[in-house]
Amino acid sequence: MEKFSYIGKDMKRIDATCKATGEALFTADLALPRMLVGKALRSPHAHARILAIDTTQAEKLPGVKAIVTAKDTDGDKWGVFKYTQDQQFLPTEKVRYVGEEVAGVAAVDEDTALEALSLIAVTYEVLPAVYTIEDALAPGAPQLHDVYPNNINVHVVIDVGDVKKGFTESFLVREDTFTAPEDAYFQGEPYAVAAQFDHSGNLEIWMPNAGPHLKAKPLSNVLKIPLNKVRVRKITIGGAFGGRSEISPADVICALLAKKAQRPVKIVYTREENTVCTRQAHAMITQIKTGVDKEGRVVARDITCHMDGGAYSSTGPIATSVPFLCMEQAYRMENVRYNGYRILTNKPIRGMFRTHGRGFACGVDIQLDMLGEALGINPLTMRLRNARQTGDLTPTKSYVASCGLTETIEKTGKMSRWAEKFGKLPPYHGIGIGCNSVQTGFPMGIRGGSQAFIKLNEDGGVTVITGIVDNGQGNDHMIVQIAAEELGLTPDDVQLISADTEVTPSDPGSYSMCETFIGGNAVRLAALDVKKKLFRIVAEEFGVGEGELSAKNRKIFITKDPQQSMSIAKAVRMALTRNESISGEGSYWPKVDWKREWVKNPYGQLSETFSFGTVICEVKVDPETGQVEVLEVTASQDVGHALNPKVVEGQFEGGVAMGGQGGMLTEYLQWHEGRVLTPTQLGYLVPLAIDMPKINDIIVETNDPKGPYGAKEAGMSVAMSAAQAYCGAISNAVGVYFHEYPITPDKILKAIEEKKRETEKSNP
């Protein structure tokens, strides 16, 4: 008998039809009775003191039903951690970036709401501003917050081994600086939020989110209402990528307007607002010093990374740490030091991002290529000699229980024909490789674990109740697939209730792709609980032990004699006749070191498992235009076990699009004195389907000992590795190592010209 019915099989996602037909509803599609249109008034200044806000004329405008400003709040400050509480959702004293919200309006239609915004008079005292990391750190620079001297918001220090001694003992040492500007999440769905209060003071709210419970608690705190009166409702979500992990000003403003107007309110961001007024990814300046032995193995590393965090803390301690952690998870090293600085500037707020920093990850890998070239060792071999292995401890003391990095390197190299191509391609053709790792979920306070409930219906069908959210990556299908597999049912037998804080239990949220590992484990354990109860009833009926039974095809049967069987529906009815209502409960908390903290103590088990990825990219560069044609990409990742291979491959391909095709070729924000000049797809060039190259997907399975059916994260390691592979391929094609990202045609042409001049000088 085949081991699994659904696990490891290509399956159509349960939400495929409704999304393909347009039946799926996003927040912007909601239409509640008597709903008002909400709009936010935004600061035109990057840094200014608010002297006065006069809403008198706006309040007189017919059709305006509510206006809120800072006076409608308690002035509390939000922060993911106690020590980063620095953002007021409607500021009382100062604005710190262009686009920051200063007031909200709810009106009967959009035109009235926009006119009301124009009638609100705000008196500002414009203050000096800082727009770059260098300006913010300069002596005498304007200070954004009194509590962060020198505009240093977060400083993460990690120091392991003896770095100085390591460099002394190294055969070869080099030091380089790598930079990258901000990039945008640019989710397919612009941010939208809808809210309403009932007469008992209960808030009902819909918005894109990475975890409804991660929204409900801060909303309760900020709005000063009990948590049981905040209901974050499930809604279809069009992408997150790390940018929807926390509460947003729009959530609070919409709720305040709904409460004041006593009518439902909906705020829908324009594409420009979605780029400027939600989270962005950090700009980076990364200095990397690496020492290696004669075989290319890393002996010591010293990294200093300055990250532009924008105006407020957001997820700052995490975002400052994760680029380093991904690197230390991927590559072995005994002596390493990291100084990560998150710097405040008068720009929009930055958060965690799916690719965790081009200016960091690409720098680490490109420097390996440079060192390897000096030693006569090719880039693929350099990765193999430094690759993390199963059973290792990372420098910050995380045990690696499963690791297929070496296998991803070898299989990707073989499929891409690396040995036949590297160093043997025609002029201006190049091939590059990148490797990286991602932690599969880490705790964010008390919401580190996931719970799930399953109830059985009289006909043998089940309802799964879980807080897991689906941002578009297929989590809903994953839940149904696990429940159906464990209970011996079909996916059609499983009804799903998810991501609704009123009816679903706690869940940590979908960040670092932890839902499969943590939430999936909780669902599986709940199904096991149900199955144990069903088996007890059937075992008594057949006179056998519970361990002698199996469940499959909607039946429970004796494993060694499948003809002796009972339908699950009959077992449920038998339980009901005995006054037993069969339900199941499961919970899973990651086995991590709870004493570990991002800044004060960055040591101990960070995550229970880690994913590992490798990407190889082949390109052709036009030396006349600097244009890059990506010929082929091969992407591989250790995913533990692929629950639904087609979905996993889709994650790989999305990762290549974001990390490589967009992240290294076209995506970056342009600025002028704190204003984003490229907030739409006319200027911020997100790759389209027509832009994508041929992608070969390789799924590597290590069957993680703790993952549900051996599964862990799928997709993020590929996204980061893609950036590095693209960078390596272009550098290989041009014969120049690039230190500034993304690698745009102007940079390529400049590099080609400089190389020509150097060649002419050396060969007069």
Side-chain angles (χ1 to χ4, degrees):
M1 185 181 294
E2 195 173 5
K3 185 176 181 181
F4 295 125
S5 299
Y6 304 108
I7 297 300
K9 307 293 173 56
D10 290 336
M11 297 182 66
K12 185 179 79 171
R13 283 169 42 169
I14 61 171
D15 59 352
T17 301
C18 66
K19 286 185 174 178
T21 60
E23 181 184 344
L25 292 180
F26 296 81
T27 304
D29 300 319
L30 292 179
L32 302 174
R34 303 173 65 243
M35 178 175 273
L36 301 172
V37 174
K39 289 288 180 182
L41 180 67
R42 305 187 179 280
S43 167
H45 306 294
H47 198 195
R49 186 168 284 108
I50 301 171
L51 301 180
I53 301 178
D54 185 353
T55 61
T56 306
Q57 294 303 311
E59 289 168 353
K60 294 178 181 178
L61 184 68
V64 172
K65 301 300 180 182
I67 297 176
V68 294
T69 64
K71 68 181 181 181
D72 295 285
T73 72
D74 286 333
D76 289 351
K77 294 181 179 180
W78 154 253
V80 174
F81 305 98
K82 282 283 186 183
Y83 58 88
T84 62
Q85 292 180 341
D86 55 21
Q87 182 187 6
Q88 293 177 308
F89 294 121
L90 283 168
T92 55
E93 297 178 356
K94 289 204 306 184
V95 290
R96 293 178 172 86
Y97 64 92
V98 174
E100 184 168 5
E101 298 82 356
V102 295
V105 169
V108 293
D109 55 41
E110 186 173 13
D111 288 342
T112 304
L114 291 171
E115 185 178 354
L117 292 183
S118 71
L119 295 175
I120 298 175
V122 184
T123 305
Y124 295 101
E125 177 191 345
V126 179
L127 302 171
V130 288
Y131 305 119
T132 66
I133 292 170
E134 296 88 345
D135 289 346
L137 292 174
Q143 299 297 290
L144 270 69
H145 299 268
D146 294 338
V147 294
Y148 304 126
N150 304 316
N151 292 317
I152 298 174
N153 171 232
V154 175
H155 181 198
V156 174
V157 182
I158 294 170
D159 198 340
V160 178
D162 190 332
V163 174
K164 184 177 180 180
K165 182 181 177 184
F167 283 124
T168 302
E169 295 176 350
S170 295
F171 178 76
L172 179 64
V173 177
R174 69 169 297 135
E175 187 170 2
D176 301 277
T177 299
F178 304 90
T179 64
E182 302 84 357
D183 34 11
Y185 296 94
F186 228 91
Q187 298 97 340
E189 175 199 14
Y191 203 84
V193 55
Q196 65 179 359
F197 278 85
D198 64 19
H199 292 295
S200 298
N202 296 303
L203 169 63
E204 195 173 13
I205 191 166
W206 298 258
M207 82 288 276
N209 65 82
H213 292 279
L214 292 175
K215 289 276 193 174
K217 186 63 167 67
L219 279 168
S220 167
N221 292 341
V222 171
L223 298 171
K224 298 293 189 294
I225 55 179
L227 186 56
N228 66 349
K229 287 183 172 291
V230 179
R231 183 178 187 180
V232 178
R233 293 290 303 273
K234 179 172 182 174
I235 193 74
T236 310
I237 296 168
F241 317 123
R244 289 172 172 169
S245 301
E246 56 182 307
I247 189 174
S248 114
D251 306 335
V252 177
I253 292 169
C254 193
L256 290 172
L257 288 169
K259 186 174 184 179
K260 198 167 188 177
Q262 283 299 296
R263 288 174 61 172
V265 176
K266 181 170 67 177
I267 295 174
V268 180
Y269 277 11
T270 63
R271 175 54 67 185
E272 291 89 339
E273 284 179 302
N274 193 74
T275 300
V276 175
C277 306
T278 64
R279 299 294 183 257
Q280 299 172 354
H282 292 72
M284 287 186 178
I285 303 172
T286 310
Q287 296 166 297
I288 305 175
K289 181 179 180 181
T290 304
V292 295
D293 64 16
K294 290 182 180 180
E295 302 298 318
R297 294 181 181 88
V298 173
V299 179
R301 267 209 179 96
D302 193 355
I303 301 176
T304 301
C305 182
H306 288 86
M307 305 170 66
D308 184 340
Y312 298 102
S313 287
S314 181
T315 53
I318 304 173
T320 310
S321 305
V322 167
F324 169 84
L325 298 173
C326 293
M327 181 271 297
E328 72 149 6
Q329 292 154 197
Y331 294 127
R332 286 175 155 177
M333 66 200 86
E334 293 183 6
N335 308 296
V336 61
R337 180 166 52 229
Y338 173 62
N339 279 280
Y341 297 90
R342 188 174 188 270
I343 310 303
L344 296 173
T345 64
N346 292 113
K347 285 182 176 178
I349 311 162
R350 283 73 198 272
M352 296 182 291
F353 190 40
R354 185 181 188 184
T355 55
H356 291 304
R358 301 171 285 188
F360 193 111
C362 290
V364 170
D365 263 31
I366 284 299
Q367 197 174 67
L368 278 181
D369 290 356
M370 297 175 187
L371 290 161
E373 183 180 49
L375 295 170
I377 304 170
N378 81 60
L380 187 144
T381 303
M382 286 290 287
R383 270 85 177 162
L384 285 173
R385 289 182 181 172
N386 288 284
R388 178 71 58 206
Q389 301 296 321
T390 300
D392 281 358
L393 275 179
T394 68
T396 61
K397 310 306 178 191
S398 283
Y399 177 74
V400 180
S402 65
C403 176
L405 181 56
T406 294
E407 189 177 349
T408 68
I409 296 170
E410 291 173 343
K411 287 187 173 180
T412 309
K414 184 177 180 180
M415 179 172 279
S416 64
R417 295 163 46 223
W418 173 276
E420 300 170 39
K421 294 178 180 179
F422 183 75
K424 303 168 187 175
L425 293 171
Y428 297 107
H429 285 62
I431 190 168
I433 182 172
C435 299
N436 222 311
S437 170
V438 171
Q439 53 282 348
T440 300
F442 43 76
M444 287 185 72
I446 196 169
R447 289 170 298 281
S450 182
Q451 293 176 294
F453 303 138
I454 296 179
K455 71 179 184 71
L456 265 75
N457 304 315
E458 192 173 342
D459 62 356
V462 301
T463 301
V464 179
I465 305 168
T466 170
I468 294 174
V469 71
D470 189 336
N471 287 311
Q473 70 272 62
N475 284 341
D476 280 357
H477 184 90
M478 178 266 294
I479 298 163
V480 170
Q481 193 176 359
I482 287 175
E485 181 68 55
E486 199 60 51
L487 292 169
L489 299 170
T490 72
D492 289 339
D493 297 324
V494 181
Q495 179 70 25
L496 178 64
I497 298 175
S498 64
D500 184 324
T501 59
E502 178 64 19
V503 294
T504 67
S506 184
D507 182 80
S510 179
Y511 58 90
S512 288
M513 294 292 283
C514 73
E515 291 293 31
T516 296
F517 188 86
I518 299 174
N521 258 324
V523 171
R524 182 168 180 262
L525 290 169
L528 283 169
D529 190 26
V530 168
K531 189 161 68 172
K532 182 179 179 181
K533 294 172 182 176
L534 287 172
F535 278 16
R536 186 181 69 245
I537 291 169
V538 177
E540 290 176 4
E541 187 71 14
F542 288 164
V544 298
E546 295 173 27
E548 299 177 55
L549 299 176
S550 298
K552 205 176 184 72
N553 299 326
R554 297 174 175 161
K555 295 179 180 180
I556 298 171
F557 55 89
I558 298 175
T559 307
K560 293 183 178 180
D561 184 10
Q563 296 304 313
Q564 291 198 58
S565 65
M566 180 186 297
S567 71
I568 291 175
K570 182 177 179 181
V572 172
R573 289 194 295 271
M574 287 180 66
L576 292 174
T577 63
R578 301 178 185 182
N579 199 28
E580 295 182 36
S581 176
I582 293 187
S583 62
E585 180 178 349
S587 64
Y588 192 85
W589 285 72
K591 309 302 185 294
V592 298
D593 188 342
W594 291 95
K595 294 180 181 178
R596 181 168 181 148
E597 205 282 326
W598 297 101
V599 177
K600 294 179 181 178
N601 179 37
Y603 304 96
Q605 192 72 33
L606 169 70
S607 169
E608 196 166 359
T609 192
F610 307 90
S611 72
F612 300 88
T614 299
V615 173
I616 290 178
C617 174
E618 186 179 352
V619 304
K620 177 182 178 182
V621 174
D622 187 332
E624 301 298 323
T625 65
Q627 292 291 329
V628 175
E629 179 186 356
V630 183
L631 303 176
E632 191 170 9
V633 174
T634 304
S636 174
Q637 184 176 313
D638 163 21
V639 302
H641 185 60
L643 302 182
N644 189 342
K646 280 298 178 189
V647 170
V648 169
E649 290 173 1
Q651 286 293 298
F652 286 9
E653 290 160 17
V656 170
M658 177 172 280
Q661 195 73 24
M664 288 310 293
L665 298 183
T666 61
E667 292 189 38
Y668 63 101
L669 294 172
Q670 297 182 55
W671 300 85
H672 177 69
E673 296 185 349
R675 292 182 181 274
V676 178
L677 302 180
T678 52
T680 72
Q681 284 177 296
L682 293 175
Y684 190 87
L685 303 179
V686 176
L688 306 176
I690 196 172
D691 301 315
M692 293 302 295
K694 176 185 177 184
I695 301 174
N696 307 308
D697 300 309
I698 305 172
I699 295 173
V700 170
E701 297 182 312
T702 54
N703 289 304
D704 188 86
K706 296 295 183 66
Y709 307 102
K712 52 186 176 182
E713 186 272 324
M716 282 186 66
S717 292
V718 163
M720 291 186 291
S721 303
Q724 298 153 239
Y726 272 64
C727 180
I730 298 168
S731 297
N732 182 240
V734 176
V736 175
Y737 292 108
F738 289 88
H739 293 68
E740 299 177 13
Y741 314 118
I743 307 174
T744 49
D746 57 311
K747 294 174 186 171
I748 292 173
L749 291 176
K750 182 180 177 182
I752 291 172
E753 286 301 315
E754 289 178 353
K755 185 181 179 185
K756 283 181 180 178
R757 284 195 294 268
E758 289 176 7
T759 302
E760 290 169 357
K761 283 182 183 179
S762 59
N763 300 293

